[in-house]
Amino acid sequence: MSLPAIRIASVTKRYGSVQALAGVDLDVDRGEFFGLLGPNGAGKTTLISSLSGLVRADSGTLEVMGHDVVSDYRNARRKLGVVPQELVFDPFFTVRELLRIQSGYFGIRHNDDWIDEILASLDLTAKAGANMRMLSGGMKRRVLVAQALVHRPPVIVLDEPTAGVDVELRQGLWQFIRKLNRDGHTIVLTTHYLEEAEALCGRIAMLKAGRVVALDTTDNLLRRFATHSLRVRLE
Ligand code: ATP
């Protein structure tokens, strides 16, 4: 059997007195569309940041496509595209410049053909030369997705990509992420929107106070908890 796309075993992380992750175990199979749900402060972003190397877990193991994120960071990071929650950019770079810089970070030169493809698929071609400060919040969200794709990672983690996004753009992002999954990418999505997880994810892990409190197929989870009580658990 092939290695999972993501393996998380016994991961803990403490910030001072806050136990953000209290022993998380989670495998995401290749090709899955996986949802990570939980209330504010449950540890979702900390888990993603530990996976991408932004945060160093205190203990446990994290692997991306079989590469350990600590001892084999370079290869693990190459396999992972991360769409962060925060819209933080240098406002004076253009969209294309940002994507070139991101390509350079992965040692990729002459990436413009691929960048053009990504921009077209995210409906951003007309904005390639625009400074970031000129873009709307929705466009910036799409640039974050584009940035995550420049190095063609097989695994893509999106941290609340539709937070604060209007309904039309949300639908567009859903379609795009679905297509990535159909094309073979493994997707991990964190969200506060139950309907989003229900519409997209094959399996869901619910995180609470740094622990996985439920892990099952979306259908089973919805069956186990009536929608109402699942909603309550997410709040
Ligand atoms: P949200 O849905 O609000 O984004 P989350 O599930 O992503 O929340 P985290 O952001 O991972 O949760 O936070 C988990 C816990 O760790 C929270 O109690 C948070 O306050 C704390 N925390 C996160 N980052 C830091 C930090 N850099 N320093 C101190 N505490 C932190």
Side-chain angles (χ1 to χ4, degrees):
M1 216 180 79
S2 63
L3 288 164
I6 292 174
R7 195 168 84 84
I8 296 170
S10 310
V11 170
T12 67
K13 174 69 188 175
R14 177 183 279 280
Y15 299 107
S17 61
V18 177
Q19 189 73 53
L21 299 175
V24 175
D25 295 293
L26 205 61
D27 277 3
V28 177
D29 291 329
R30 295 181 187 212
E32 262 199 289
F33 201 131
F34 192 91
L36 197 54
L37 271 67
N40 290 120
K44 304 179 296 294
T45 300
T46 302
L47 193 59
I48 289 176
S49 300
S50 308
L51 206 56
S52 68
L54 209 60
V55 157
R56 181 81 174 257
D58 297 333
S59 62
T61 304
L62 297 115
E63 290 174 4
V64 182
M65 301 294 277
H67 301 285
D68 187 279
V69 304
V70 177
S71 63
D72 192 9
Y73 176 69
R74 218 175 135 77
N75 284 316
R77 188 64 187 85
R78 274 174 187 279
K79 300 290 181 192
L80 187 68
V82 180
V83 180
Q85 202 177 114
E86 260 104 47
L87 296 171
V88 181
F89 301 99
D90 185 319
F92 296 103
F93 282 120
T94 67
V95 173
R96 183 179 296 283
E97 282 165 350
L98 272 184
L99 298 181
R100 282 180 178 158
I101 290 166
Q102 185 77 5
S103 303
Y105 174 71
F106 287 98
I108 305 167
R109 293 162 67 199
H110 312 300
N111 205 18
D112 270 357
D113 287 349
W114 178 234
I115 287 174
D116 284 339
E117 263 188 60
I118 297 171
L119 289 174
S121 60
L122 283 161
D123 204 15
L124 283 170
T125 303
K127 299 293 174 191
N131 279 345
M132 288 307 298
R133 70 196 150 96
M134 310 297 283
L135 302 191
S136 69
M139 287 171 189
K140 287 180 181 155
R141 283 249 164 251
R142 279 180 280 153
V143 174
L144 281 184
V145 177
Q147 271 190 320
L149 298 177
V150 290
H151 59 294
R152 303 176 191 255
V155 183
I156 300 166
V157 177
L158 304 104
D159 196 359
E160 298 186 33
T162 56
V165 159
D166 69 38
V167 174
E168 197 180 328
L169 181 58
R170 189 179 298 173
Q171 295 289 342
L173 277 170
W174 283 14
Q175 271 179 26
F176 185 75
I177 301 166
R178 265 205 194 101
K179 183 172 180 322
L180 288 175
N181 183 238
R182 276 201 308 274
D183 291 347
H185 292 90
T186 305
I187 305 286
V188 177
L189 174 80
T190 83
T191 180
H192 281 281
Y193 301 115
L194 180 62
E195 72 275 18
E196 184 162 280
E198 201 177 338
L200 298 173
C201 303
R203 276 200 313 152
I204 290 176
M206 282 171 56
L207 216 56
K208 200 166 184 180
R211 290 180 197 283
V212 176
V213 293
L215 171 62
D216 210 332
T217 63
T218 306
D219 288 347
N220 282 348
L221 267 186
L222 290 174
R223 217 171 292 136
R224 258 168 63 194
F225 310 112
T227 304
H228 172 70
S229 65
L230 183 58
R231 260 186 225 289
V232 169
R233 272 157 214 266
L234 289 173
E235 280 157 7

